[in-house]
Amino acid sequence: MTQQVRVGVAVIIRRMKDGGDVMLIGRRKGSHGAGTWTVPGGHLEYGESIEDCARREVAEETGLKLTTVSKPFAATNDIFTEEDKHYITVWVEATVDERAVPENLEPEKCDGWDWYAGQDIPKPRFLGLENMMAQRPAYFSYM
């Protein structure tokens, strides 16, 4: 197998819930990182913009339509040693309608979706999310 670096797009979907700022989190299954918690996202396709990738991946995974998508605001270098995978993950922030309810459209890949404050994100966390939280702890502490 040829070693290569892949580009992933991670989407932090934020909204207000019960007077606080929360983000959408799901638990992975059936792939590398199974059993870990993370945000929606996936692989950037050839010729696709990062914002379009965010919209596509979120719709495929949750059925949600993003109302806003930021330009990339961070990147993490995620090396999955045991799986022999290497990703550069580009992070964007997005919003959805406050009444929107996520669906689990890929039950073979995710146990389901729910809203969590940054300090309440369950563990274990997916490597990309762990790296992002270590890189920008203040971002997650205000949620």
Side-chain angles (χ1 to χ4, degrees):
M1 180 170 121
T2 303
Q3 292 182 320
Q4 62 180 350
V5 178
R6 305 247 358 227
V7 177
V9 175
V11 187
I12 297 176
I13 303 172
R14 297 178 56 190
R15 74 173 211 191
M16 296 299 289
K17 181 179 179 187
D18 301 327
D21 195 10
V22 294
M23 59 192 289
L24 190 64
I25 300 289
R27 190 167 67 158
R28 294 174 62 92
K29 67 181 189 181
S31 181
H32 70 284
T36 62
W37 296 83
T38 195
V39 300
H43 297 110
L44 183 67
E45 294 181 358
Y46 182 82
E48 184 176 44
S49 74
I50 292 168
E51 295 82 0
D52 285 346
C53 177
R55 290 180 192 284
R56 176 182 54 76
E57 287 289 350
V58 167
E60 288 174 0
E61 295 174 13
T62 71
L64 295 173
K65 181 178 180 183
L66 301 179
T67 53
T68 65
V69 180
S70 73
K71 295 291 183 191
F73 71 94
T76 53
N77 186 26
D78 306 319
I79 302 171
F80 298 85
T81 306
E82 289 184 21
E83 296 89 350
D84 198 28
K85 294 185 180 201
H86 185 178
Y87 286 84
I88 299 300
T89 304
V90 180
W91 292 79
V92 298
E93 192 174 75
T95 58
V96 294
D97 184 281
E98 294 293 318
R99 299 166 302 230
V101 177
E103 300 175 66
N104 188 10
L105 298 180
E106 296 181 329
E108 72 284 358
K109 296 180 181 180
C110 180
D111 284 328
W113 299 101
D114 206 352
W115 301 96
Y116 293 90
Q119 66 273 12
D120 297 331
I121 298 170
K123 293 181 180 179
R125 298 177 185 133
F126 189 61
L127 178 63
L129 181 57
E130 273 298 326
N131 288 344
M132 180 60 178
M133 292 180 81
Q135 180 177 308
R136 296 190 175 224
Y139 178 86
F140 294 90
S141 67
Y142 75 87
M143 290 181 160

